[in-house]
Amino acid sequence: KNENRGGGGSHSWPVHHGMEANRRSFLSSLSVAAGVASLPLQNPSPATAAEEDAIDVFFGCGCFWHVQHEFVEAERNILQRSDDAITSRAGYAGGKAGSLDGKVCYHNAQNIADYGKLGHAEVVAMTIPESKFEEFAIEYCKLFDESGLRPDQFGDRGTEYRNLVGIPGGKTSPLAEKLVKASLKTGDKLDFAVGKGDDKDIPKVAFIMDSNEFPFYVAEQYHQFHDGFKLDESYPQRYNDLASKFAKKGENFGTCPNGMMGLGFGGL
């Protein structure tokens, strides 16, 4: 995959000085942040758990195929969720334009609501207990190598693959502090900046987005529970089958056209 490879569903804070916020100074700046009530995303991933403190969040780190698999495993391991209760969904977020005619789509031959042109990046959204956010943030930080680069940093590059974390309230949320602490616990590899929408792809920097202002848009069914792009990232059929399983239960993955060549698989 690359910036030109051939998405689904149907404000901001000031930029931190220098764009790249030192994580420790960023953490200090959060000490005065007030708590903000969690509000659902405009297009949240379907929640099946009954946690009273459930929140909708999203994470972006390059191609969403591999990222979705890692967070499905996190839901299973951290929350002991069954397949029917998995909430991780691939999609798009982070653009100022929002949707176009109620759609945000993957690259397609008809050029309908192209997510890249709308300023979005590939992300994975999920519904989790607020008390477990730091554990999921740790899993996110583990996606980066020891130097803070994502696995596909020299393959999938550009704004469509930038690093994003969406939380209700953004920087003003107590979750922002937990995110920075998670980074510190996993080697202090990342810097954080306040996302303002349509942000650049900056190595080793993750943009913290207010998910109330920058909502998640679910991707097409053929992108859900997909094998990773690398040849050694073939996942069990049980995992791949979750997309059709949820669709058969009535989940709406939007009405976008198939990918760039109209095939609807392999990113095409």
Side-chain angles (χ1 to χ4, degrees):
K1 300 196 318 181
N2 54 49
E3 188 69 21
N4 296 318
R5 68 175 172 88
S10 162
H11 2 51
S12 62
W13 313 298
V15 182
H16 202 86
H17 292 300
M19 289 297 297
E20 296 191 17
N22 177 275
R23 49 274 205 201
R24 292 190 176 86
S25 63
F26 191 89
L27 182 59
S28 298
S29 73
L30 296 175
S31 62
V32 297
V36 175
S38 298
L39 299 177
L41 299 175
Q42 291 183 19
N43 293 290
S45 52
T48 55
E51 298 98 345
E52 292 182 2
D53 63 341
I55 56 171
D56 294 304
V57 298
F58 60 76
F59 297 92
C61 175
C63 174
F64 49 21
W65 291 345
H66 172 72
V67 176
Q68 183 179 26
H69 177 265
E70 297 307 292
F71 279 110
V72 167
E73 290 302 300
E75 288 193 72
R76 288 171 173 162
N77 296 329
I78 297 173
L79 303 178
Q80 290 75 55
R81 284 179 172 166
S82 65
D83 285 353
D84 289 341
I86 294 298
T87 66
S88 293
R89 298 292 185 273
Y92 316 102
K96 293 179 180 179
S99 62
L100 182 62
D101 297 326
K103 295 181 179 182
V104 176
C105 303
Y106 194 69
H107 308 307
N108 58 88
Q110 300 177 52
N111 199 29
I112 295 175
D114 185 294
Y115 81 100
K117 294 181 180 179
L118 293 173
H120 295 298
E122 296 186 10
V123 301
V124 174
M126 65 217 65
T127 302
I128 59 175
E130 185 172 354
S131 61
K132 296 293 185 179
F133 175 77
E134 187 170 333
E135 292 181 58
F136 277 79
I138 286 174
E139 294 303 311
Y140 175 67
C141 294
K142 288 180 180 178
L143 295 173
F144 299 86
D145 68 18
E146 63 277 359
S147 64
L149 297 174
R150 58 179 181 261
D152 59 355
Q153 189 74 57
F154 301 105
D156 286 345
R157 290 177 289 178
T159 58
E160 295 170 3
Y161 306 107
R162 64 189 185 270
N163 309 320
L164 299 179
V165 178
I167 51 178
K171 181 186 176 181
T172 66
S173 169
L175 299 176
E177 182 174 353
K178 292 183 178 180
L179 173 63
V180 178
K181 287 182 177 179
S183 179
L184 294 173
K185 287 180 179 180
T186 53
D188 197 14
K189 300 177 290 186
L190 293 174
D191 285 317
F192 296 93
V194 176
K196 61 177 182 178
D198 299 355
D199 300 291
K200 297 180 180 179
D201 181 19
I202 303 177
K204 307 180 185 182
V205 174
F207 292 94
I208 301 179
M209 314 299 297
D210 184 346
S211 58
N212 296 325
E213 298 184 43
F214 296 95
F216 169 79
Y217 299 91
V218 70
E220 298 82 353
Q221 181 180 334
Y222 69 84
H223 277 307
Q224 306 297 333
F225 309 102
H226 199 290
D227 287 340
F229 191 75
K230 295 181 180 179
L231 294 178
D232 61 350
E233 291 179 337
S234 294
Y235 305 129
Q237 191 63 44
R238 167 193 170 194
Y239 173 81
N240 300 141
D241 288 344
L242 288 176
S244 59
K245 184 176 182 179
F246 286 118
K248 288 178 181 177
K249 288 185 175 182
E251 185 168 338
N252 181 10
F253 290 108
T255 58
C256 286
N258 281 341
M260 182 61 73
M261 299 181 67
L263 301 179
F265 66 89
L268 302 177

